[in-house]
Amino acid sequence: MQIVTDAIVLHAFDYLESSRILRMVTREAGVRSVLARGARRSSKRFGAALDLYAQGTADLQTKPGRELDTLSAFDVMRVRHQLAADLARFAGASMIAELTLRFARDVADPGLFDAVESALDTLSTASSTRARDAALGGAWRILLELGVAPSIDDCAECHAPIAPDQAAMFSHRAGGTLCERCSRLARAGRMLPANARGALRDWLSGEPHEVTDANEVRAHQRLLREFLREHLADDRPLSAFDVWERGTLDVPATVGGP
Ligand SMILES: [Zn+2]
């Protein structure tokens, strides 16, 4: 069967002597593993199509029961070389790609495709200081499309509304914020200040939200990691996520230090 669909390259590696295997997210067929035959022999055949985060129209040949599709053509409309120009952007994009490849399925999901596209576009133009909140926003939006968004304005247990200007307990197990009554009964949770709830609210609705304070960024990264572990992660490590999270802790090297 032939599928012509919007696609973004999220991972690529060499295969045999002359080919490449790409892992792509597509609008019409979800996440696919795709063989680009002869891609390394002739750069003319696919050109920039094999670059990480390139986006365009892919022409895929699929066979029932086969895990690997064949890429017949890839008409590239967008390359995202700016993602590699900055370490924070690149780490964020790698984390976004990892979440998508690990947890998305091989079925049509236009909402998920749009969320990945938007996350990579926002990261492409983000400054170093905004790259982390851009990645946080993109990740939460992807979780929403995967069907595991936390509740922020209603109690995750009893659905009572929680005023937006209040701090509230966040329970990973319950799947979001808790009202005062339910938080007294909860065994574990983390207090979320009102501004952290505001950030999550904006990110889940696809809006940017600036978080530049290093401690706040770390708290958000930790919350996201814990939520992922509770709701999606299997036993396999999320290595790109770890690199992205650790990157925030790196202190710039001092030239000629003590
Ligand atoms: Zn409640």
Side-chain angles (χ1 to χ4, degrees):
M1 193 174 76
Q2 185 189 29
I3 301 173
V4 178
T5 178
D6 292 340
I8 303 171
V9 178
L10 294 183
H11 186 64
F13 52 94
D14 290 343
Y15 180 69
L16 298 180
E17 269 174 39
S18 61
S19 299
R20 296 271 282 168
I21 288 178
L22 312 179
R23 299 203 67 210
M24 312 176 111
V25 63
T26 71
R27 190 184 291 278
E28 310 298 332
V31 166
R32 316 293 301 188
S33 293
V34 175
L35 176 65
R37 201 170 270 132
R40 289 157 65 208
R41 192 172 293 147
S42 156
S43 59
K44 260 184 287 180
R45 176 132 191 245
F46 292 107
L50 307 187
D51 290 353
L52 212 47
Y53 309 118
Q55 179 171 346
T57 307
D59 189 336
L60 307 178
Q61 302 293 328
T62 70
K63 277 194 184 144
R66 281 266 300 271
E67 277 185 28
L68 202 56
D69 304 334
T70 302
L71 185 69
S72 309
F74 191 20
D75 186 9
V76 175
M77 285 139 189
R78 205 177 311 177
V79 289
R80 294 187 171 92
H81 293 152
Q82 315 95 303
L83 284 174
D86 177 278
L87 208 56
R89 282 185 211 157
F90 191 76
S94 305
M95 180 273 287
I96 292 291
E98 181 175 64
L99 293 190
T100 308
L101 293 175
R102 180 72 66 85
F103 302 116
R105 294 177 306 135
D106 60 350
V107 293
D109 193 340
L112 177 79
F113 183 87
D114 291 344
V116 176
E117 176 185 45
S118 158
L120 294 176
D121 283 344
T122 307
L123 268 170
S124 294
T125 54
S127 64
S128 291
T129 46
R130 294 300 305 276
R132 273 152 193 130
D133 66 65
L136 281 161
W140 282 114
R141 185 73 193 175
I142 286 167
L143 290 190
L144 175 84
E145 295 297 341
L146 291 172
V148 292
S151 62
I152 300 303
D153 291 312
D154 299 316
C155 175
E157 293 283 8
C158 74
H159 309 295
I162 304 169
D165 57 351
Q166 271 180 17
M169 185 178 280
F170 188 100
S171 159
H172 290 291
R173 176 70 53 86
T177 48
L178 299 176
C179 70
E180 278 182 41
R181 191 175 63 89
C182 294
S183 51
R184 279 196 294 273
L185 302 170
R187 263 181 293 166
R190 220 176 242 304
M191 281 310 286
L192 276 194
N195 65 343
R197 286 178 62 211
L200 287 171
R201 187 180 299 114
D202 285 344
W203 290 333
L204 288 165
S205 56
E207 299 293 324
H209 190 108
E210 183 166 0
V211 181
T212 47
D213 179 83
N215 289 323
E216 282 183 47
V217 169
R218 278 198 281 277
H220 274 294
Q221 288 178 307
R222 184 180 58 208
L223 188 82
L224 175 61
R225 166 167 43 82
E226 291 169 346
F227 192 82
L228 272 170
R229 191 181 297 151
E230 179 77 31
H231 293 279
L232 283 175
D234 41 34
D235 292 336
R236 292 176 294 165
L238 287 166
S239 49
F241 191 104
D242 291 344
V243 169
W244 171 69
E245 187 174 11
R246 265 205 317 274
T248 318
L249 299 170
D250 288 348
V251 178
T254 26
V255 178

